[in-house]
Amino acid sequence: MLNFFFDGSIGQMIAPVTGVHNKLFLAIQNHRNAEVQGLIGELGDPSRLSDSGIGAIHVACRYGNMYVLELLLNMGVDKDNRDSHGNTPLHHAAKYGSMEACKLLQASGANLLIANRENRTPYDVCESHHLIRQWMLPLQFQCEATLTQSGVG
């Protein structure tokens, strides 16, 4: 009886979502992956940031949508793509507690040492996600040691 509340039709009537980025981000958030593919096609460049300064890969990491994250990485979206605040997909995955996304990004070669505009690394922004911090700390030390050995740090 109340299915119309959940299928999105009432929400669209009350506050319609406009713009390709907004529709795409809502589809990613709600794991409507078939819809996501069509919207990415409409967008053209899947790495393009929205007017609010965020990209589809950041939204996929924030909401733990692994299907979309893998799709975007396979399409060549930069795993270290920065949003308007300098946050990478790994910052979003760590901050919002998506261990699976963190692991996929790290396995894909994401840079754990990139700092955002507030000079915070992904490790720094995941303060409330202790399991991610425990997993990430030795990896960060390893990256820092490699930089030091190569004479960069």
Side-chain angles (χ1 to χ4, degrees):
M1 180 170 154
L2 297 175
N3 285 343
F4 61 89
F5 281 113
F6 302 109
D7 71 8
S9 58
I10 291 292
Q12 282 295 321
M13 287 175 24
I14 295 171
V17 176
T18 59
V20 172
H21 270 112
N22 292 335
K23 290 177 183 178
L24 175 62
F25 295 169
L26 192 59
I28 293 169
Q29 178 182 348
N30 292 298
H31 295 258
R32 296 191 312 253
N33 297 329
E35 185 180 343
V36 166
Q37 288 183 314
L39 290 166
I40 286 175
E42 277 184 55
L43 190 61
D45 178 4
S47 61
R48 195 175 87 208
L49 300 181
S50 69
D51 291 340
S52 62
I54 192 167
I57 195 166
H58 304 106
V59 176
C61 290
R62 180 177 184 162
Y63 291 101
N65 190 326
M66 297 304 297
Y67 175 85
V68 173
L69 177 56
E70 289 181 37
L71 176 70
L72 293 169
L73 290 172
N74 289 334
M75 292 176 82
V77 175
D78 183 6
K79 61 197 163 298
D80 292 322
N81 189 15
R82 292 177 184 239
D83 67 15
S84 62
H85 298 284
N87 292 309
T88 65
L90 190 54
H91 281 89
H92 286 269
K95 182 175 181 175
Y96 294 100
S98 180
M99 175 70 91
E100 195 175 0
C102 288
K103 287 182 176 182
L104 177 60
L105 289 164
Q106 187 269 332
S108 298
N111 186 339
L112 279 73
L113 300 179
I114 292 177
N116 63 17
R117 288 191 178 166
E118 295 175 354
N119 203 32
R120 299 179 77 199
T121 66
Y123 175 81
D124 297 327
V125 301
C126 70
E127 56 249 344
S128 64
H129 300 286
H130 303 294
L131 291 177
I132 293 175
R133 284 179 73 85
Q134 289 174 352
W135 172 79
M136 200 174 279
L137 185 60
L139 296 172
Q140 183 161 329
F141 284 154
Q142 184 179 21
C143 290
E144 289 170 353
T146 301
L147 283 177
T148 302
Q149 290 172 355
S150 66
V152 176

